Amino acid sequence: MATPRIVALDMDGTLVESSGSIPEEFWGLLDRALGAGMVVAPASGRQLATLQHMFERNEPDTFIAENGAVVWHKGEIVSVSPLPGEAVRRVVDALDSAPFTAHAVVCKPEISYTAETTPPEVQSEVDKYYLANAHASSLSDALAADPDDTVKIALFVESDAERDALPWLAEVAPELNVAVSSHHWIDLMAEGVDKGVALNALAQQLGVRREDTAAIGDYLNDYAMLEEAGYAVAMGNAHPDLKAIADEVVGTNDEHGALCRIERWLEA
């Protein structure tokens, strides 16, 4: 394709190396992309505060956070998609009797909450993705103030999220959109909310045609984003389902496959 005007760029497993770092080469590439008028939109299950911190060295104009439930553009949150409060409470209350062990993160637009009983090793995983996180005596307490402003529930599943939690959630909260983010993480958003919907809304807001958008990702929470994009790129380390729908498969995240693809677009 010709050089896209918008590139939605997943973070973990795509831009971020296995070490957890953004490659040093990315910053110069981002400068060139922005200078060429390309909108590079980090698109992640991470919260907005975490993305802003990761990019404080050179902040793009746009972030797609919380798997599409929060969209930030040019200094302000332009889109928030909350979950129904009743469904949030139903999931939180049912977790104690779930046939697997999981720990919930209740996500608001600018802060998240975990129970103070969350095991330290799990909380350390939470802290990687939720910089603005507070502890609550219980998740019910976190919901008490305003149960209707929750934009996402993230579950850290100690076993296999796709195998164990996905079918259970389909029974407990069939009206919610569920995205498997990794082996242990699974996210719940409102119906019709995902990275693909957020990319489409962003393109419409900026007056960009669908065929002038691209998306790069590696896991199942990127599936809708790759489907929606004019050009879909799957990483070499991507889930097989993403590779099956991609227009192109590039190198792995540790091989900087996403950076190489953006570099080729800029050279074109």
Side-chain angles (χ1 to χ4, degrees), residues 89-173:
R89 288 193 176 279
R90 190 188 330 132
V91 171
V92 168
D93 291 344
L95 271 179
D96 286 340
S97 58
F100 53 86
T101 302
H103 309 275
V105 185
V106 173
C107 306
K108 310 291 185 173
E110 297 184 271
I111 193 170
S112 65
Y113 295 91
T114 48
E116 59 186 15
T117 55
T118 303
E121 63 275 12
V122 175
Q123 188 62 53
S124 67
E125 288 297 313
V126 172
D127 292 342
K128 292 179 183 178
Y129 309 108
Y130 301 93
L131 181 69
N133 183 76
H135 297 285
S137 56
S138 71
L139 291 180
S140 294
D141 289 343
L143 296 173
D146 190 350
D148 295 317
D149 69 345
T150 301
V151 296
K152 190 182 77 176
I153 303 173
L155 299 181
F156 180 87
V157 182
E158 292 190 2
S159 54
D160 187 308
E162 184 178 0
R163 181 195 66 203
D164 299 333
L166 189 60
W168 181 80
L169 288 168
E171 294 289 334
V172 173

Side-chain angles (χ1 to χ4, degrees), residues 4-5 15-16 57 66 94 100 115 131 148 154-155 180 233 239 259:
R5 292 182 59 192
L15 173 61
V16 177
R57 178 170 167 180
E66 305 287 15
F100 53 86
L131 181 69
D148 295 317
L155 299 181
V180 182
V233 179
H239 191 287
L259 275 63

Side-chain angles (χ1 to χ4, degrees), residues 61-85:
D61 286 340
T62 306
F63 291 114
I64 296 172
E66 305 287 15
N67 278 330
V70 176
V71 180
W72 181 93
H73 183 64
K74 290 191 173 181
E76 64 179 345
I77 295 175
V78 297
S79 174
V80 174
S81 302
L83 289 79

Side-chain angles (χ1 to χ4, degrees), residues 164-193:
D164 299 333
L166 189 60
W168 181 80
L169 288 168
E171 294 289 334
V172 173
E175 74 272 38
L176 299 184
N177 184 26
V178 182
V180 182
S181 299
S182 71
H183 181 73
H184 292 293
W185 283 103
I186 192 165
D187 297 333
L188 294 91
M189 290 80 63
E191 183 179 10
V193 175

